[in-house]
Amino acid sequence: MTNTLNTISQQEINGFVLYLTSTLLLAVYLGWGLVPDTVLAETGVSYYPSKQWAVSVPVWLLWWIPTTLALYTGINLFRTPSLASRDTVTDDAATVSESGLKSHLMDTPIVAANRALMYSKTNARTFVVPDVKAA
């Protein structure tokens, strides 16, 4: 029987290397952005990007994150069918009731379900199917 407490998985090694790399890159970034140019020149660092990029890149990234989320949400809302569409609850193989409830198994029209669930102001517990033609 193998002792699983002393074994280290490849994921743990990769995670530790990623942690060390990201910590090193953060230290280099903060050193480049916060240390004055004269100190960098004294240590022998002669070529580095402008300090403007130390502020511009994080601002640019912080602008792109909400913009991407807003675009993704907008595209999903644009592609979602309306509440009156049959595509939200049924497919082509389903039988949709033409009016009211019948004795055999069928789908309730989406317009009737929406009216009963979202527009009923009298009593939310009663379910009355209005006489609505299926789309």
Side-chain angles (χ1 to χ4, degrees):
M1 182 173 187
T2 60
N3 187 359
T4 58
L5 295 177
N6 293 331
T7 59
I8 298 175
S9 69
Q10 188 64 35
Q11 289 178 328
E12 292 175 300
I13 294 170
N14 291 345
F16 184 66
V17 169
L18 181 64
Y19 168 73
L20 290 178
T21 305
S22 63
T23 304
L24 177 68
L25 288 175
L26 178 64
V28 168
Y29 172 76
L30 290 176
W32 162 62
L34 299 176
V35 173
D37 292 336
T38 55
V39 175
L40 288 175
E42 288 174 4
T43 58
V45 178
S46 60
Y47 180 76
Y48 49 87
S50 172
K51 300 276 184 157
Q52 172 190 353
W53 291 104
V55 175
S56 299
V57 171
V59 169
W60 184 76
L61 288 174
L62 287 175
W63 181 81
W64 269 107
I65 291 170
T67 302
T68 303
L69 292 173
L71 285 173
Y72 184 72
T73 304
I75 289 170
N76 281 335
L77 288 174
F78 180 72
R79 295 185 65 190
T80 302
S82 68
L83 289 177
S85 175
R86 290 181 58 203
D87 295 332
T88 57
V89 294
T90 189
D91 58 4
D92 295 335
T95 305
V96 177
S97 149
E98 291 297 324
S99 64
L101 295 174
K102 295 183 180 177
S103 60
H104 63 282
L105 184 63
M106 68 189 72
D107 292 339
T108 303
I110 187 66
V111 176
N114 285 337
R115 283 187 186 163
L117 296 174
M118 299 188 192
Y119 301 116
S120 176
K121 302 220 185 224
T122 56
N123 188 0
R125 293 179 187 250
T126 59
F127 182 77
V128 177
V129 179
D131 189 17
V132 177
K133 299 264 188 229

